[in-house]
């Protein structure tokens, strides 16, 4: 693909389809895709398994020293999967049990510093699409293209419910709705790097868009930014 390599950030509310769009863009542009939420989910899994007290800064600092996070490409699924201390946790971190705790863990200052430092290293060579909540505001404030995704609540609940129900038929729509509302609230009200739209982000509301329409729109933005250097 011609043009310079850029950094693309995709932030927004839970279950807006950020990762779907990020993967499509990365594939089309030959870029690396990084799911920053997977890192917070893996840290949460470690904290749960090791009974780390979320009120204890000492316990949190100690636990973080024992956590090694890695994205490893799986040729079978054709995507990078999250490894926690050498174990593939890609599937277990999608569980509702993790979703119920992850926003509290992601609000912890030490946890964010730990994850953000690693995310910034991944972007040094550019050619990256990263999705999350603070990627355009904190992780890569100088990114060439920042997208902020939104969609109506009901649409988001429905999408996430279908995804989770396929894996666990016991899950209810109320559980999914409550979890999304709780995460949106905590993610956008926390003290450190709350979810917010960067001033220079382009908003993409996909309530009425098909995946294809949304991809085309975002790809046009990306190609335009690749061709034109952003003023310093
Ligand atoms: O994108 P996700 O649903 O997998 O993210 C899981 C949680 O991690 C989400 O509720 C908020 C948190 N998160 C964050 O605080 N910052 C990020 N850059 C990505 C995710």
């Amino acid at each position: 693909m011609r043009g310079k390599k850029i950094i693309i950030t995709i932030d927004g509310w839970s279950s807006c389809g950020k990762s779907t769009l990020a993967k499509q863009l990365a594939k089309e542009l030959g870029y690396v895709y990084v799911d920053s939420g997977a890192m917070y989910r893996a840290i949460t899994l470690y904290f749960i398994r090791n009974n780390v007290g979320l009120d204890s800064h000492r316990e949190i600092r100690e636990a973080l020293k024992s956590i090694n996070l890695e994205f490893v490409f799986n040729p079978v699924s054709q995507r990078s999967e999250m490894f926690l201390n050498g174990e593939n946790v890609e599937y277990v971190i999608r569980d509702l049990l993790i979703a119920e705790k992850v926003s509290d863990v992601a609000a912890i200052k030490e946890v964010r510093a730990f994850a953000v430092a690693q995310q910034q290293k991944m972007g040094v060579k550019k050619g990256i699409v990263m999705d999350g909540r603070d990627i355009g505001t904190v992780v890569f404030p100088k990114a060439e293209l920042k997208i902020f995704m939104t969609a109506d609540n009901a649409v988001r609940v429905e999408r996430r419910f279908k995804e989770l129900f396929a894996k666990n038929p016991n899950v209810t729509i109320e559980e999914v709705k409550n979890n999304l509302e709780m995460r949106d609230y905590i993610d956008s009200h926390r003290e450190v790097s709350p979810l917010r739209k960067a001033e220079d982000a382009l908003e993409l509301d996909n309530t009425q868009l098909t995946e294809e329409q949304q991809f085309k729109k975002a790809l046009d933005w990306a190609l335009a930014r690749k061709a034109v250097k952003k003023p310093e």
Side-chain angles (χ1 to χ4, degrees):
M1 186 71 61
R2 273 181 346 102
K4 68 188 176 97
K5 279 191 177 177
I6 62 170
I7 294 181
I8 301 175
T9 65
I10 304 184
D11 291 302
W13 307 99
S14 291
S15 298
C16 270
K18 299 185 293 295
S19 67
T20 303
L21 176 64
K23 279 181 213 161
Q24 288 171 326
L25 284 175
K27 190 165 176 220
E28 180 69 23
L29 300 168
Y31 280 16
V32 173
Y33 161 59
V34 178
D35 169 6
S36 71
M39 299 172 72
Y40 293 100
R41 287 171 180 267
I43 296 168
T44 303
L45 176 64
Y46 183 94
F47 281 13
I48 292 174
R49 282 180 176 172
N50 294 279
N51 292 316
V52 175
L54 300 191
D55 298 330
S56 166
H57 290 281
R58 187 188 53 76
E59 281 185 36
I60 289 163
R61 275 197 299 271
E62 282 307 309
L64 290 172
K65 282 186 204 158
S66 308
I67 295 181
N68 178 48
L69 299 178
E70 249 181 316
F71 286 101
V72 180
F73 186 75
N74 178 342
V76 179
S77 65
Q78 282 290 305
R79 57 182 219 189
S80 288
E81 297 182 346
M82 184 82 254
F83 277 63
L84 166 65
N85 294 337
E87 173 193 352
N88 185 341
V89 294
E90 180 63 32
Y91 300 95
V92 41
I93 58 172
R94 308 292 159 192
D95 208 275
L96 203 50
L97 201 78
I98 300 294
E100 274 163 7
K101 290 264 181 314
V102 64
S103 285
D104 287 332
V105 172
I108 300 168
K109 184 168 94 243
E110 289 87 348
V111 169
R112 300 210 70 81
F114 175 84
V116 168
Q118 298 186 32
Q119 290 154 6
Q120 287 175 331
K121 270 195 204 153
M122 296 177 204
V124 167
K125 291 188 184 156
K126 301 210 174 183
I128 189 169
V129 185
M130 192 178 288
D131 74 348
R133 305 292 186 289
D134 62 338
I135 311 303
T137 50
V138 174
V139 181
F140 299 122
K142 291 190 173 166
E144 287 82 357
L145 173 60
K146 300 179 184 177
I147 299 175
F148 189 85
M149 287 181 69
T150 61
D152 279 359
N153 277 18
V155 172
R156 297 194 289 127
V157 170
E158 182 73 26
R159 284 183 194 153
R160 180 65 79 163
F161 174 70
K162 277 190 190 150
E163 224 175 86
L164 289 172
F165 186 80
K167 289 187 227 159
N168 172 12
N170 292 323
V171 77
T172 66
I173 199 136
E174 284 71 31
E175 275 178 309
V176 174
K177 182 171 180 288
N178 291 341
N179 179 255
L180 277 195
E181 284 172 357
M182 179 197 76
R183 285 204 288 145
D184 283 347
Y185 183 83
I186 302 177
D187 294 344
S188 56
H189 286 80
R190 68 184 174 220
E191 216 170 290
V192 199
S193 333
L195 167 67
R196 63 175 180 82
K197 178 173 172 275
E199 269 174 29
D200 51 350
L202 301 176
E203 189 163 325
L204 185 54
D205 182 335
N206 65 17
T207 309
Q208 310 277 1
L209 299 181
T210 64
E211 259 179 45
E212 217 177 312
Q213 289 168 327
Q214 125 178 326
F215 172 57
K216 188 175 174 316
K217 199 166 180 165
L219 183 63
D220 285 347
W221 287 341
L223 294 176
R225 299 292 164 110
K226 269 168 72 65
V228 185
K229 196 165 164 37
K230 202 179 175 190
E232 290 297 313

